[in-house]
């Protein structure tokens, strides 16, 4: 014969519940070094817009005390709240080809001109919703007075060179139009000057830029520009030794 036991508690009783502990220290205390709490409404199946199932998703607490992945606005109807989750899209430690003898992607500035610009990398990425994107990069640069595709030669012409690095954002990844090409993000530049005897070696440039993007598939286009004097030749290799790209998105 089965026995049914009824537990009666007086109304208004305040108690602490412990899971894995006989001495709870909070209203709900889950003990154990590996203990977890599962809320299936917040998993990748039920909340795919904020939980991709690969990286941990940020959790937020509404004014009512509800735990959610959707950052609430002032009236608790999200998304678009004051605080937004950060999604680290990826980190790439080699987003520019190393090239021959680790000289990188080469941009030559011939003697007939004083400026030269070249595309050194293109990186595709996606955004699930309208969001703020943040891009950080670090690129090594090697300068030579002869074409780096052929040889590596120090400067000895007592002259100065400038190189710039920046990126443009191709919305919808359908090719850069005039407006997109005119917006240069993360622009950084360095100056190199030589005496009658130059030296060879890598320099490093770091840049950072951010903007708001719509949902969809997009791409970053990294450009390098060199500036030198009249009748001067400059060969610059970008990303041969080291290069790092980090993209994160706030949505």
């Amino acid at each position: 014969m089965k026995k049914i036991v009824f537990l009666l508690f007086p109304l208004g009783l305040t108690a602490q519940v412990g899971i894995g502990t006989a001495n709870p220290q909070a209203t709900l205390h889950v003990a154990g070094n590996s203990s977890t709490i599962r809320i299936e409404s917040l998993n990748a199946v039920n909340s795919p817009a904020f939980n991709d199932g690969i990286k941990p998703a940020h959790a937020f607490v509404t004014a009512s005390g509800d735990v959610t992945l959707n950052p609430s606005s002032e009236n608790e109807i999200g998304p678009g709240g004051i605080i937004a989750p950060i999604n680290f899209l990826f980190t790439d430690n080699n987003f520019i080809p190393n090239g021959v003898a680790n000289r990188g992607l080469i941009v030559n500035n011939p003697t007939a001109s004083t400026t030269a610009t070249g595309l050194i990398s293109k990186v595709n990425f996606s955004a699930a919703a309208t969001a703020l994107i943040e891009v950080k990069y670090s690129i090594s640069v090697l300068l030579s007075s002869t074409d780096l595709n052929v040889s590596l030669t120090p400067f000895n012409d007592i002259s100065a060179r400038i190189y710039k690095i920046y990126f443009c954002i191709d919305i919808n990844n359908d090719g850069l139009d005039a407006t997109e090409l005119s917006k240069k993000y993360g622009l950084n530049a360095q100056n190199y000057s030589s005496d009658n005897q130059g030296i060879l070696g890598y320099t490093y440039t770091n840049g950072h830029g951010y903007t708001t993007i719509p949902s969809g598939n997009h791409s970053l286009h990294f450009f390098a520009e060199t500036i030198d004097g009249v009748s001067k030749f400059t060969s610059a290799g970008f990303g041969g030794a080291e290069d790092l790209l980090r993209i994160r998105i706030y949505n």
Side-chain angles (χ1 to χ4, degrees):
M1 178 178 178
K2 296 182 179 180
K3 295 182 179 180
I4 301 177
V5 179
F6 294 94
L7 299 178
L8 301 178
F9 297 93
L11 294 176
L13 178 65
T14 300
Q16 293 177 317
V17 178
I19 300 176
T21 176
N23 184 28
Q25 303 298 308
T27 303
L28 175 62
H29 183 173
V30 181
N33 295 335
S34 59
S35 298
T36 59
I37 298 175
R38 174 170 295 185
I39 306 175
E40 292 191 353
S41 64
L42 302 182
N43 63 20
V45 175
N46 296 307
S47 299
F50 297 95
N51 186 345
D52 62 6
I54 300 175
K55 55 184 177 297
H58 287 225
F60 301 88
V61 180
T62 69
S64 302
D66 298 327
V67 179
T68 175
L69 293 178
N70 190 3
S72 61
S73 58
E74 293 180 356
N75 60 359
E76 297 191 24
I77 300 175
I82 298 174
I83 302 175
I86 304 174
N87 296 316
F88 292 88
L89 294 183
F90 61 88
T91 297
D92 193 337
N93 294 311
N94 189 28
F95 73 104
I96 302 175
N98 292 336
V100 178
N102 290 331
R103 295 174 185 175
L105 202 295
I106 298 170
V107 177
N108 286 329
N109 190 345
T111 56
S113 63
T114 58
T115 61
T117 304
L119 178 68
I120 58 175
S121 183
K122 176 186 175 184
V123 179
N124 298 324
F125 69 96
S126 299
T130 299
L132 176 71
I133 183 175
E134 180 182 17
V135 178
K136 292 185 177 181
Y137 68 83
S138 177
I139 299 174
S140 64
V141 184
L142 183 64
L143 298 173
S144 172
S145 63
T146 57
D147 186 353
L148 284 170
N149 292 294
V150 180
S151 61
L152 178 59
T153 309
F155 294 97
N156 58 6
D157 55 5
I158 313 180
S159 184
R161 273 83 176 171
I162 297 174
Y163 67 82
K164 302 177 181 179
I165 300 174
Y166 59 89
F167 64 89
C168 299
I169 302 178
D170 182 1
I171 302 298
N172 297 325
N173 198 20
D174 55 0
L176 288 170
D177 58 30
T179 300
E180 294 169 338
L181 194 59
S182 67
K183 297 178 181 180
K184 300 178 180 180
Y185 299 94
L187 176 62
N188 208 337
Q190 290 198 41
N191 177 74
Y192 174 92
S193 60
S194 67
D195 204 335
N196 59 359
Q197 182 177 358
I199 59 175
L200 294 172
Y202 293 100
T203 63
Y204 294 85
T205 296
N206 299 297
H208 170 250
Y210 59 90
T211 188
T212 300
I213 57 170
S215 61
N217 299 318
H218 316 295
S219 59
L220 302 177
H221 294 243
F222 285 84
F223 291 93
E225 178 182 351
T226 61
I227 304 172
D228 58 15
V230 177
S231 301
K232 301 296 183 179
F233 181 90
T234 303
S235 186
F238 297 87
E242 294 182 14
D243 52 274
L244 169 67
L245 174 63
R246 183 164 294 160
I247 302 177
R248 55 184 179 179
I249 195 167
Y250 301 78
N251 57 12

